[in-house]
Amino acid sequence: MKEAKNKLTELDTYVFIDVSNIRAACVRTLGFNIDFYKFLDYLRRKYPNLKNVYYYEGIARNDSEKQAEFDKLRDTGYDIRSLERKAYTEPPVYREVKCRNCKTKRRVQVLKRTTKLKSNVDVYLATDLLKLAYLITRPVRILLAACDGDYAEMIKSALETNSNVRIEVLATPVVPRILKADGTYEDKNTCSTRLQKLRRKLQNFTMLDIGTIQDLIKQK
């Protein structure tokens, strides 16, 4: 058993971080912000054979502040993988309602017109990870920091294609719904059930709880 543990420690390790996803999940479920400089220090201490840490996050056009942040992170040791965020406008949503008293029907706006920014870095991450998994010829560990269930098919494909690959997902823990005073429930769970189910289906796959290291990686 000790020999197997030592072999895991010695594995070359590649880290893929869906920054917006894991950051938002930690805030919602655990109530803390990740300090990505501390996070990189933790990864270097935890994995002696750390080969690369890929940092995926979108950026708006002409966002000089975010670009300066990327430059600092790159100088620290991250491999920055960014895509430009594009604006998508969602039209307002209307619904027909009936007055309880006069039974008159009228059209009511229930959602306002909104503009959202999207960069599709999840597709970028998945493409890079699968490329690594398909081409690698030696045993490696891939650590994915994300809670998004959309990565489930990517993980299955990588592990079924190459037996040299071990994938570990660093995500928020599963938390129960909270019963509020008004009788409704508040759901703070951000860890996808699709990812959790993979543990029962795949070899060389592990789920890790980011909550166990939050004191080492959180912002003050």
Side-chain angles (χ1 to χ4, degrees):
M1 187 74 174
K2 187 175 181 180
E3 182 180 354
K5 187 175 181 180
N6 288 338
K7 287 183 178 179
L8 283 178
T9 303
E10 295 168 2
L11 284 178
D12 287 348
T13 301
Y14 297 83
V15 181
F16 292 77
I17 308 172
D18 186 332
V19 174
S20 296
N21 180 272
I22 194 65
R23 177 193 283 138
C26 286
V27 170
R28 180 179 174 185
T29 298
L30 299 171
F32 79 94
N33 278 298
I34 299 175
D35 183 322
F36 283 95
Y37 298 99
K38 289 183 178 179
F39 191 29
L40 184 59
D41 287 340
Y42 164 79
L43 294 170
R44 285 169 169 163
R45 293 194 305 270
K46 177 70 175 179
Y47 305 106
N49 292 330
L50 184 65
K51 296 302 180 182
N52 212 342
V53 182
Y54 301 100
Y55 182 105
Y56 295 83
E57 187 178 16
I59 181 171
R61 183 180 296 181
N62 301 323
D63 188 342
S64 57
E65 184 176 347
K66 175 64 73 174
Q67 188 58 59
E69 179 186 338
F70 283 171
D71 292 341
K72 289 181 180 179
L73 290 166
R74 186 179 291 107
D75 291 342
T76 305
Y78 281 105
D79 189 336
I80 304 297
R81 302 294 180 109
S82 63
L83 291 175
E84 182 181 324
R85 286 178 176 154
K86 296 182 179 180
Y88 295 87
T89 301
E90 295 185 352
V93 176
Y94 296 88
R95 187 173 63 185
E96 190 176 75
V97 296
K98 182 187 292 185
C99 177
R100 292 182 179 179
N101 297 322
C102 65
K103 306 301 181 182
T104 302
K105 293 182 180 180
R106 61 193 182 96
R107 196 164 175 254
V108 177
Q109 182 176 327
V110 293
L111 288 176
K112 295 181 179 180
R113 181 187 181 93
T114 58
T115 300
K116 295 182 178 180
L117 295 175
K118 191 171 179 61
S119 58
N120 292 324
V121 294
D122 51 349
V123 178
Y124 193 4
L125 186 157
T127 302
D128 285 347
L129 191 151
L130 285 173
K131 187 188 299 181
L132 173 67
Y134 289 164
L135 297 178
I136 209 76
T137 58
R138 64 187 186 283
V140 299
R141 173 197 287 109
I142 294 176
L143 178 67
L144 170 64
C147 298
D148 192 344
D150 288 343
Y151 289 121
E153 294 303 318
M154 172 198 72
I155 293 169
K156 287 170 59 179
S157 180
L159 293 179
E160 291 170 356
T161 301
N162 193 340
S163 60
N164 283 314
V165 174
R166 174 184 178 84
I167 294 181
E168 299 174 0
V169 171
L170 184 63
T172 50
V174 178
V175 295
R177 293 189 302 168
I178 301 172
L179 179 61
K180 298 192 294 185
D182 62 2
T184 62
Y185 284 92
E186 181 180 5
D187 189 0
K188 289 190 174 183
N189 188 38
T190 52
C191 186
S192 166
T193 55
R194 290 170 63 191
L195 291 177
Q196 298 167 42
K197 289 177 180 179
L198 291 181
R199 289 180 294 185
R200 300 190 295 269
K201 298 178 179 179
L202 299 173
Q203 293 183 338
N204 291 336
F205 176 74
T206 306
M207 293 282 294
L208 305 174
D209 179 0
I210 198 171
T212 62
I213 61 168
Q214 69 179 74
D215 290 339
L216 301 175
I217 65 172
K218 67 181 179 182
Q219 291 181 358
K220 291 184 179 180

